[in-house]
């Protein structure tokens, strides 16, 4: 029976265009979704946009349009970019969607009725960048640490979610479920926040309409709208069909959230407590990744070094960029993007190793076997070792993906590509072809090379779906890959193969890049 699996990305603010940071999280989510589908799991993948709040209202005002017109435009751009890049999401959720607004209001009412929300007077320092009141911990030299700007002094009456009453429960949950937040450093970070509670208090969940109208109205007080984070987190429930949509319970029972480290507090503290209070099961895992720097520097609009996935696609092909993101970053740690490193990975792994294997296996099959997969003779020790290496790669990829080690999963896959290239070098089919007495050996060798390529076309599918499909197409298969297809020995002799263009072009080192 297939297992259910639900993977989410954060919903992206609409005051920015898609960049490498958003793309990385979405690539990781897409890879996991595709891997689970490959394994036959009943998979649901959600991504989308976070559209309310002060920042969005300000961005719309600066453009001279209504917030709704503004979010419609940017959300359409996000969605079409994600579609262009081939992400396989099942729902693109927007926090302005009617089902989401309804869920947020129902949940607010429920939490209010349960006595978990209280009306209070509040004085504090507010950062518009963070969309919240800051505490001492958030400040450095009087400036917000994240946004490096001075917060505003504000005094307001507001509604508060009595979150602090649940901190002990959260500590206990984190202690009982070691992989609840992973990698471990982020679990420790949340435990640290909870231990010295200086950075944590009850959560202000309302904004007076006189200051901000762009949000979901509180169902119990029409003078207020809901705080953007309380609204945004609920997207994960709405996207999967909360409260009674088809498949909701199944998917929610196996939800994996993916986020960047900057939004650990809302996901690691607010969200589990919100779920507990509303009586919903707590998520399975919060998976936290690090930050991309660009050529060694922080990425920012003012530095003009924002990396756009569409620009990278135009320059190198999206799968080359996608490969780089998955191969280069150790999930959980920071990573550095540079075009010269991308070119090196593309040329070294994709063009020289994988592209070359595909190219020579198919060229020799065309030349020596009329383009048809030959019949294998009795496998010898080297054929068996290639078959064993295929099985090892399959098992290692599974283990590494369960541990979110995407770079190691690709290392295992490329160790198999190396093994097959080495096998072809050792067997030297171009030499066997010259000796009529070696015909059976030639056929066994080319069968083994094509079969290895077929298995690669299955195992590669979650990481580089287009290249993988192209490999399978060249070996006569146009169906979706399934994990069962990775078992050795399924390629039918006599299958017609197609040579095709190089799978990955080689690129020159970019101008000005260090060699
Ligand atoms: N809207 C909130 C999320 C709400 S989820 C209920 C938000 N949006 S965001 O657009 O600012 O950021 C979305 C994600 O992009 C975050 O996970 C963030 O970590 C990630 N990244 C933004 N810049 C990044 C890098 N330079 N590197 C890696 N990821 C980064 O926060």
């Amino acid at each position: 029976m297939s297992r259910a699996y639900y993977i989410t990305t954060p919903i992206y603010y609409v005051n920015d265009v898609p960049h490498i940071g958003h793309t990385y999280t979405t690539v990781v989510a897409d890879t996991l979704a595709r891997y689970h589908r490959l394994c036959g799991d009943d998979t649901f993948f959600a991504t989308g946009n976070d559209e309310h709040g002060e920042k969005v209202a300000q961005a719309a005002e600066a453009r001279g349009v209504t917030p709704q017109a503004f979010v419609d435009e940017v959300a359409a751009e996000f969605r079409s970019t994600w579609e262009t890049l081939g992400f396989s999401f099942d729902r693109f959720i927007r926090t302005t969607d009617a089902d989401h607004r309804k869920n947020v209001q129902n949940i607010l009412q429920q939490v209010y009725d349960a006595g978990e929300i209280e009306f209070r007077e509040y004085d504090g320092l507010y950062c518009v960048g963070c969309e919240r009141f800051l505490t001492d911990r958030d400040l450095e030299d009087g400036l917000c640490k994240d946004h490096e700007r001075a917060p505003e002094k504000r005094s307001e009456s507001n509604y508060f979610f009595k979150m602090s009453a649940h901190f002990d429960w959260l500590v206990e949950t984190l202690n009982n479920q070691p992989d609840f937040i992973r990698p471990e450093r982020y679990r420790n970070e949340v435990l640290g926040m909870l231990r010295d509670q200086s950075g944590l208090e009850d959560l202000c969940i309302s904004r007076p309409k006189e200051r901000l109208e762009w949000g979901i109205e509180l169902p119990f007080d029409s003078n207020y709208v809901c705080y953007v984070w309380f609204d945004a987190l609920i997207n994960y429930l709405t996207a999967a069909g909360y409260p009674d949509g088809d498949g909701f319970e199944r998917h929610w029972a196996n939800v994996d959230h993916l986020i960047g480290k900057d939004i650990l507090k809302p996901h690691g503290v607010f969200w589990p407590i919100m779920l507990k209070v509303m009586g919903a099961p707590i998520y399975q895992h919060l998976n936290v990744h690090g930050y991309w720097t660009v050529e060694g520097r922080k990425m920012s609009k003012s530095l003009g070094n924002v990396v756009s996935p569409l620009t990278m696609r135009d320059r190198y092909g999206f799968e080359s960029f996608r490969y780089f993101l998955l191969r280069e970053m150790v999930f959980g740690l920071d990573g550095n993007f540079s075009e010269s490193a991308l070119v090196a990975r593309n040329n070294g792994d994709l063009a020289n190793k994988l592209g070359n294997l595909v190219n020579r296996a198919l060229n020799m099959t065309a030349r020596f076997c009329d383009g048809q997969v030959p019949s294998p003779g009795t496998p010898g020790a080297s054929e068996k070792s290639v078959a064993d290496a295929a099985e090892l790669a399959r098992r290692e990829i599974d283990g590494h993906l369960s541990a979110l080690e995407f770079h190691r999963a690709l290392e295992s896959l490329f160790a198999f590509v190396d093994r097959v290239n080495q096998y072809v070098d050792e067997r030297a089919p171009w030499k066997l072809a010259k000796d009529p007495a070696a015909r059976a050996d030639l056929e066994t060798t080319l069968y083994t090379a094509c079969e290895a390529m077929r298995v690669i076309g299955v195992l590669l599918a979650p990481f580089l779906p287009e290249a993988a499909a192209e490999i399978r197409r060249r070996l006569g298969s146009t169906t979706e890959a399934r994990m069962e297809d990775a078992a050795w020995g399924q390629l039918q002799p006599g299958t017609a193969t197609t040579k095709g263009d190089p799978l990955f072009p080689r690129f020159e080192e970019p101008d000005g890049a260090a060699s």
Side-chain angles (χ1 to χ4, degrees):
M1 211 180 67
S2 79
R3 290 173 303 167
Y5 181 70
Y6 176 27
I7 181 80
T8 68
T9 73
I11 46 172
Y12 305 113
Y13 284 131
V14 285
N15 56 345
D16 211 346
V17 290
H19 59 56
I20 185 175
H22 313 126
T23 310
Y24 175 69
T25 324
T26 317
V27 162
V28 167
D30 187 62
T31 302
L32 289 170
R34 287 175 185 275
Y35 187 72
H36 281 269
R37 288 192 202 108
L38 185 72
C39 295
D41 295 345
D42 163 18
T43 304
F44 196 82
F45 166 18
T47 185
N49 281 129
D50 188 351
E51 304 185 356
H52 291 124
E54 210 155 335
K55 266 188 280 190
V56 174
Q58 285 174 352
E61 201 179 321
R63 289 263 297 274
V65 294
T66 63
Q68 189 64 54
F70 177 73
V71 297
D72 285 348
E73 187 188 319
V74 187
E77 190 177 333
F78 256 96
R79 188 182 174 126
S80 82
T81 304
W82 278 187
E83 281 168 354
T84 306
L85 300 179
F87 294 137
S88 61
F89 51 86
D90 299 291
R91 165 104 191 236
F92 189 94
I93 180 160
R94 300 178 52 187
T95 50
T96 50
D97 288 342
D99 58 348
H100 178 70
R101 298 168 65 89
K102 191 168 146 217
N103 275 340
V104 172
Q105 289 197 319
N106 287 344
I107 289 168
L108 279 166
Q109 188 67 53
Q110 189 197 336
V111 175
Y112 184 70
D113 291 345
E116 300 275 354
I117 291 176
E118 205 170 75
F119 194 59
R120 292 180 199 159
E121 186 75 42
Y122 190 83
D123 280 313
L125 294 171
Y126 191 87
C127 172
V128 177
C130 297
E131 303 267 20
R132 63 181 171 87
F133 284 97
L134 303 183
T135 61
D136 289 348
R137 262 175 155 234
D138 300 313
L139 296 166
E140 200 168 83
D141 301 329
L143 302 180
C144 164
K145 273 188 200 162
D146 281 347
H147 295 93
E148 291 171 10
R149 62 170 154 175
E152 297 164 20
K153 235 182 161 6
R154 287 188 184 178
S155 169
E156 277 177 8
S157 290
N158 267 308
Y159 287 91
F160 285 79
F161 174 43
K162 296 195 284 180
M163 194 168 72
S164 55
H166 304 277
F167 289 161
D168 290 346
W169 163 83
L170 186 55
V171 170
E172 210 177 293
T173 304
L174 284 160
N175 285 333
N176 293 340
Q177 296 178 46
D179 63 353
F180 179 59
I181 297 179
R182 50 187 191 178
E184 201 181 351
R185 51 174 36 218
Y186 297 109
R187 170 176 168 260
N188 292 338
E189 208 174 296
V190 172
L191 278 170
M193 290 177 200
L194 291 164
R195 198 174 309 120
D196 75 82
Q197 291 174 6
S198 60
L200 285 178
E201 290 159 4
D202 286 343
L203 185 66
C204 176
I205 53 134
S206 62
R207 297 293 179 265
K209 274 197 187 163
E210 62 208 29
R211 177 153 69 73
L212 174 72
E213 286 207 28
W214 182 237
I216 299 176
E217 190 180 287
L218 297 189
F220 43 83
D221 190 337
S222 61
N223 293 317
Y224 289 85
V225 296
C226 177
Y227 167 50
V228 65
W229 267 105
F230 196 92
D231 155 6
L233 288 161
I234 292 171
N235 96 83
Y236 299 127
L237 291 171
T238 307
Y242 179 88
D244 49 15
D246 184 31
F248 169 72
E249 279 188 18
R250 226 173 40 246
H251 288 128
W252 187 255
N254 284 295
V255 58
D256 242 0
H257 292 313
L258 278 173
I259 60 161
K261 64 181 183 181
D262 56 321
I263 50 177
L264 180 59
K265 192 198 276 185
H267 285 84
V269 180
F270 309 172
W271 186 222
I273 295 177
M274 284 168 65
L275 287 166
K276 174 185 183 244
V277 167
M278 70 179 88
I282 315 306
Y283 54 76
Q284 292 296 294
H285 300 293
L286 179 65
N287 308 295
V288 190
H289 66 75
Y291 247 54
W292 284 99
T293 50
V294 175
E295 312 279 352
R297 306 180 71 185
K298 189 172 169 185
M299 183 174 71
S300 77
K301 280 189 208 159
S302 50
L303 285 175
N305 63 351
V306 174
V307 177
S308 147
L310 293 176
T311 308
M312 289 302 121
R313 178 202 56 164
D314 294 345
R315 229 171 260 173
Y316 303 107
F318 184 61
E319 293 218 331
S320 178
F321 183 53
R322 180 171 167 130
Y323 178 77
F324 177 85
L325 295 179
L326 290 169
R327 179 67 188 78
E328 194 75 11
M329 188 178 255
V330 175
F331 190 90
L333 303 180
D334 292 344
N336 182 46
F337 172 82
S338 79
E339 284 196 48
S340 56
L342 185 156
V343 166
R345 287 273 183 218
N346 175 80
N347 292 356
D349 295 354
L350 300 180
N352 292 352
K353 292 181 175 178
L354 179 58
N356 188 34
L357 171 65
V358 169
N359 189 41
R360 52 190 195 152
L362 292 175
N363 272 332
M364 287 189 285
T365 305
R367 238 170 94 199
F368 306 134
C369 303
D370 292 330
Q372 296 195 344
V373 175
S375 293
T378 316
S382 30
E383 285 73 33
K384 284 192 191 130
S385 105
V386 173
D388 288 348
E391 176 52 21
L392 178 69
R394 192 194 61 73
R395 262 188 287 123
E396 284 187 351
I397 289 169
D398 191 64
H400 294 321
L401 286 187
S402 311
L404 302 167
E405 293 174 330
F406 303 92
H407 69 298
R408 296 187 70 187
L410 285 169
E411 250 169 28
S412 295
L413 183 53
F414 278 77
F416 179 54
V417 173
D418 285 344
R419 176 70 193 93
V420 185
N421 273 321
Q422 182 199 15
Y423 166 80
V424 174
D425 290 343
E426 282 162 11
R427 303 284 291 176
W430 51 92
K431 284 191 194 149
L432 297 172
K434 291 188 183 135
D435 177 3
R439 182 73 197 169
D441 280 355
L442 173 68
E443 293 190 352
T444 301
T445 304
L446 290 182
Y447 178 87
T448 305
C450 287
E451 173 59 356
M453 215 179 106
R454 189 192 63 79
V455 173
I456 290 166
V458 177
L459 296 179
L460 186 67
F463 306 96
L464 304 184
E466 283 191 11
E470 179 60 18
I471 291 174
R472 298 197 306 277
R473 257 195 306 276
R474 290 185 191 188
L475 289 169
S477 166
T478 51
T479 54
E480 282 286 306
R482 296 164 317 155
M483 195 44 111
E484 298 91 275
D485 303 335
W488 188 264
Q490 298 181 50
L491 185 58
Q492 289 303 314
T495 302
T497 65
T498 329
K499 279 199 291 185
D501 294 331
L503 214 48
F504 296 97
R506 284 186 184 77
F507 295 103
E508 294 288 323
E509 278 273 300
D511 288 346
S515 57

Short mmCIF file of all heavy atoms in Angstrom, two decimals, residues 10-13 19 21-22 25 50 229 232-233 235-236 259-263 267 289-292 299, ligand 1:
data_model
loop_
_atom_site.label_atom_id
_atom_site.label_comp_id
_atom_site.label_asym_id
_atom_site.label_seq_id
_atom_site.Cartn_x
_atom_site.Cartn_y
_atom_site.Cartn_z
N PRO A 10 7.83 27.33 2.09
CA PRO A 10 7.22 28.52 2.68
C PRO A 10 6.41 29.19 1.56
O PRO A 10 6.69 28.96 0.38
CB PRO A 10 8.41 29.41 3.05
CG PRO A 10 9.63 28.56 2.94
CD PRO A 10 9.31 27.45 2.00
N ILE A 11 5.44 29.98 1.92
CA ILE A 11 4.78 30.76 0.87
C ILE A 11 5.53 32.07 0.78
O ILE A 11 5.84 32.71 1.78
CB ILE A 11 3.27 30.92 1.13
CG1 ILE A 11 3.00 31.31 2.58
CG2 ILE A 11 2.54 29.62 0.77
CD1 ILE A 11 1.53 31.67 2.82
N TYR A 12 5.86 32.45 -0.45
CA TYR A 12 6.80 33.54 -0.67
C TYR A 12 6.10 34.89 -0.65
O TYR A 12 5.00 35.04 -1.20
CB TYR A 12 7.52 33.31 -2.01
CG TYR A 12 8.19 31.94 -2.03
CD1 TYR A 12 7.76 30.93 -2.88
CD2 TYR A 12 9.22 31.65 -1.13
CE1 TYR A 12 8.34 29.67 -2.86
CE2 TYR A 12 9.81 30.39 -1.10
CZ TYR A 12 9.36 29.41 -1.96
OH TYR A 12 9.94 28.17 -1.92
N TYR A 13 6.74 35.87 -0.02
CA TYR A 13 6.20 37.22 -0.02
C TYR A 13 6.15 37.76 -1.44
O TYR A 13 7.07 37.52 -2.22
CB TYR A 13 7.09 38.16 0.82
CG TYR A 13 6.95 38.00 2.31
CD1 TYR A 13 8.08 37.87 3.11
CD2 TYR A 13 5.70 38.00 2.92
CE1 TYR A 13 7.97 37.75 4.49
CE2 TYR A 13 5.59 37.88 4.30
CZ TYR A 13 6.71 37.75 5.07
OH TYR A 13 6.61 37.63 6.43
N HIS A 19 13.90 34.43 -6.62
CA HIS A 19 15.36 34.43 -6.71
C HIS A 19 15.91 33.08 -6.26
O HIS A 19 15.14 32.15 -5.96
CB HIS A 19 15.96 35.61 -5.93
CG HIS A 19 15.62 35.64 -4.46
ND1 HIS A 19 15.88 34.59 -3.61
CD2 HIS A 19 15.02 36.60 -3.70
CE1 HIS A 19 15.49 34.90 -2.38
NE2 HIS A 19 14.94 36.12 -2.41
N GLY A 21 17.09 31.96 -3.54
CA GLY A 21 16.65 31.46 -2.23
C GLY A 21 15.32 30.74 -2.35
O GLY A 21 15.16 29.59 -1.93
N HIS A 22 14.33 31.40 -2.97
CA HIS A 22 13.03 30.77 -3.19
C HIS A 22 13.19 29.52 -4.06
O HIS A 22 12.55 28.50 -3.85
CB HIS A 22 12.05 31.69 -3.92
CG HIS A 22 11.98 33.09 -3.40
ND1 HIS A 22 12.15 34.18 -4.20
CD2 HIS A 22 11.73 33.56 -2.15
CE1 HIS A 22 12.01 35.29 -3.47
NE2 HIS A 22 11.77 34.93 -2.23
N THR A 25 14.58 26.32 -2.15
CA THR A 25 13.59 25.59 -1.34
C THR A 25 12.63 24.84 -2.24
O THR A 25 12.24 23.70 -1.95
CB THR A 25 12.76 26.57 -0.47
OG1 THR A 25 13.58 27.62 -0.04
CG2 THR A 25 12.15 25.86 0.71
N ASP A 50 2.47 34.51 -0.01
CA ASP A 50 2.03 35.12 1.24
C ASP A 50 1.69 36.56 0.88
O ASP A 50 2.59 37.33 0.55
CB ASP A 50 3.23 35.05 2.21
CG ASP A 50 2.91 35.46 3.61
OD1 ASP A 50 1.80 35.96 3.85
OD2 ASP A 50 3.78 35.26 4.49
N TRP A 229 1.69 36.60 10.04
CA TRP A 229 2.26 35.26 10.25
C TRP A 229 1.22 34.25 10.72
O TRP A 229 1.26 33.08 10.35
CB TRP A 229 3.43 35.32 11.26
CG TRP A 229 4.75 35.50 10.57
CD1 TRP A 229 5.49 36.64 10.51
CD2 TRP A 229 5.47 34.51 9.82
NE1 TRP A 229 6.62 36.42 9.77
CE2 TRP A 229 6.64 35.12 9.34
CE3 TRP A 229 5.24 33.17 9.51
CZ2 TRP A 229 7.59 34.45 8.57
CZ3 TRP A 229 6.18 32.49 8.74
CH2 TRP A 229 7.33 33.12 8.28
N ALA A 232 -0.45 33.37 7.60
CA ALA A 232 0.39 32.65 6.62
C ALA A 232 0.62 31.19 7.00
O ALA A 232 0.60 30.30 6.15
CB ALA A 232 1.72 33.37 6.48
N LEU A 233 0.87 30.93 8.28
CA LEU A 233 1.18 29.55 8.69
C LEU A 233 0.02 28.60 8.40
O LEU A 233 0.22 27.43 8.05
CB LEU A 233 1.56 29.51 10.17
CG LEU A 233 2.93 30.13 10.48
CD1 LEU A 233 3.05 30.50 11.97
CD2 LEU A 233 4.07 29.17 10.09
N ASN A 235 -1.69 28.48 5.94
CA ASN A 235 -1.71 28.07 4.52
C ASN A 235 -1.43 26.57 4.37
O ASN A 235 -1.93 25.93 3.46
CB ASN A 235 -0.69 28.87 3.70
CG ASN A 235 0.63 28.15 3.54
OD1 ASN A 235 0.80 27.28 2.67
ND2 ASN A 235 1.59 28.45 4.41
N TYR A 236 -0.57 26.04 5.27
CA TYR A 236 -0.18 24.64 5.12
C TYR A 236 -1.39 23.72 5.30
O TYR A 236 -1.45 22.65 4.70
CB TYR A 236 0.90 24.27 6.15
CG TYR A 236 2.18 25.08 6.01
CD1 TYR A 236 2.73 25.76 7.09
CD2 TYR A 236 2.85 25.15 4.78
CE1 TYR A 236 3.90 26.49 6.97
CE2 TYR A 236 4.03 25.88 4.66
CZ TYR A 236 4.54 26.55 5.75
OH TYR A 236 5.71 27.26 5.63
N ILE A 259 11.91 25.00 5.22
CA ILE A 259 12.05 26.46 5.38
C ILE A 259 13.53 26.85 5.39
O ILE A 259 14.40 26.01 5.60
CB ILE A 259 11.42 26.96 6.71
CG1 ILE A 259 12.11 26.30 7.92
CG2 ILE A 259 9.93 26.75 6.75
CD1 ILE A 259 11.89 27.04 9.22
N GLY A 260 13.78 28.15 5.22
CA GLY A 260 15.12 28.68 5.42
C GLY A 260 15.30 29.05 6.89
O GLY A 260 14.31 29.26 7.61
N LYS A 261 16.53 29.17 7.33
CA LYS A 261 16.80 29.36 8.77
C LYS A 261 16.27 30.67 9.33
O LYS A 261 16.09 30.80 10.54
CB LYS A 261 18.31 29.24 9.03
CG LYS A 261 19.14 30.32 8.36
CD LYS A 261 20.63 30.12 8.66
CE LYS A 261 21.46 31.23 8.05
NZ LYS A 261 22.89 31.05 8.31
N ASP A 262 16.02 31.66 8.46
CA ASP A 262 15.54 32.95 8.96
C ASP A 262 14.11 32.89 9.48
O ASP A 262 13.69 33.80 10.19
CB ASP A 262 15.63 34.01 7.84
CG ASP A 262 14.87 33.59 6.59
OD1 ASP A 262 14.91 32.39 6.25
OD2 ASP A 262 14.21 34.43 5.96
N ILE A 263 13.36 31.86 9.12
CA ILE A 263 11.97 31.81 9.58
C ILE A 263 11.74 30.62 10.52
O ILE A 263 10.68 30.02 10.54
CB ILE A 263 10.97 31.85 8.40
CG1 ILE A 263 11.31 30.80 7.32
CG2 ILE A 263 10.94 33.23 7.78
CD1 ILE A 263 10.30 30.77 6.17
N HIS A 267 8.04 29.04 12.60
CA HIS A 267 7.72 27.63 12.29
C HIS A 267 8.03 26.68 13.44
O HIS A 267 7.40 25.64 13.57
CB HIS A 267 8.47 27.17 11.04
CG HIS A 267 7.91 27.72 9.78
ND1 HIS A 267 8.23 28.95 9.31
CD2 HIS A 267 7.02 27.19 8.89
CE1 HIS A 267 7.58 29.18 8.17
NE2 HIS A 267 6.84 28.13 7.90
N HIS A 289 16.92 24.78 6.09
CA HIS A 289 18.15 24.92 5.30
C HIS A 289 18.83 26.26 5.55
O HIS A 289 18.24 27.17 6.14
CB HIS A 289 17.89 24.70 3.81
CG HIS A 289 17.02 25.74 3.16
ND1 HIS A 289 17.47 27.00 2.86
CD2 HIS A 289 15.73 25.69 2.73
CE1 HIS A 289 16.51 27.69 2.27
NE2 HIS A 289 15.43 26.93 2.20
N GLY A 290 20.07 26.35 5.07
CA GLY A 290 20.87 27.56 5.29
C GLY A 290 20.63 28.59 4.19
O GLY A 290 19.69 28.51 3.42
N TYR A 291 21.53 29.54 4.14
CA TYR A 291 21.39 30.67 3.23
C TYR A 291 22.41 30.60 2.10
O TYR A 291 23.54 30.18 2.30
CB TYR A 291 21.59 31.97 4.02
CG TYR A 291 20.32 32.75 4.09
CD1 TYR A 291 19.16 32.16 4.58
CD2 TYR A 291 20.25 34.08 3.64
CE1 TYR A 291 17.97 32.86 4.61
CE2 TYR A 291 19.07 34.78 3.67
CZ TYR A 291 17.93 34.18 4.15
OH TYR A 291 16.76 34.88 4.17
N TRP A 292 22.00 31.06 0.94
CA TRP A 292 22.93 31.20 -0.18
C TRP A 292 23.56 32.57 -0.14
O TRP A 292 22.86 33.57 -0.05
CB TRP A 292 22.19 31.06 -1.52
CG TRP A 292 21.83 29.66 -1.84
CD1 TRP A 292 20.62 29.06 -1.67
CD2 TRP A 292 22.69 28.66 -2.42
NE1 TRP A 292 20.68 27.74 -2.08
CE2 TRP A 292 21.93 27.48 -2.54
CE3 TRP A 292 24.03 28.65 -2.82
CZ2 TRP A 292 22.47 26.30 -3.06
CZ3 TRP A 292 24.56 27.48 -3.33
CH2 TRP A 292 23.79 26.33 -3.45
N MET A 299 23.29 38.29 -0.55
CA MET A 299 22.56 38.71 -1.75
C MET A 299 21.59 39.83 -1.39
O MET A 299 20.87 39.74 -0.41
CB MET A 299 21.78 37.50 -2.28
CG MET A 299 21.05 37.78 -3.57
SD MET A 299 20.29 36.28 -4.21
CE MET A 299 18.98 36.01 -3.04
N1 LIG B 1 6.36 34.75 3.65
C1 LIG B 1 7.34 34.22 4.54
C2 LIG B 1 7.15 32.74 4.74
C3 LIG B 1 5.81 32.35 5.27
S1 LIG B 1 5.64 30.62 5.37
C4 LIG B 1 4.26 30.41 6.24
C5 LIG B 1 8.73 34.47 3.96
N2 LIG B 1 8.82 34.70 2.67
S2 LIG B 1 10.17 35.06 1.88
O1 LIG B 1 9.76 35.19 0.51
O2 LIG B 1 10.81 36.18 2.47
O3 LIG B 1 11.16 33.89 2.09
C6 LIG B 1 10.83 32.61 1.71
C7 LIG B 1 11.98 31.67 1.85
O4 LIG B 1 13.07 32.05 1.04
C8 LIG B 1 12.49 31.51 3.26
O5 LIG B 1 12.54 30.13 3.57
C9 LIG B 1 13.88 32.07 3.20
O6 LIG B 1 14.72 31.40 4.06
C10 LIG B 1 14.25 31.79 1.76
N3 LIG B 1 15.36 32.62 1.34
C11 LIG B 1 15.37 33.95 1.09
N4 LIG B 1 16.66 34.31 0.76
C12 LIG B 1 17.47 33.24 0.83
C13 LIG B 1 18.82 32.98 0.52
N5 LIG B 1 19.66 33.93 0.15
N6 LIG B 1 19.25 31.69 0.61
C14 LIG B 1 18.42 30.66 0.92
N7 LIG B 1 17.14 30.87 1.20
C15 LIG B 1 16.68 32.15 1.33
O7 LIG B 1 9.69 34.44 4.72
#
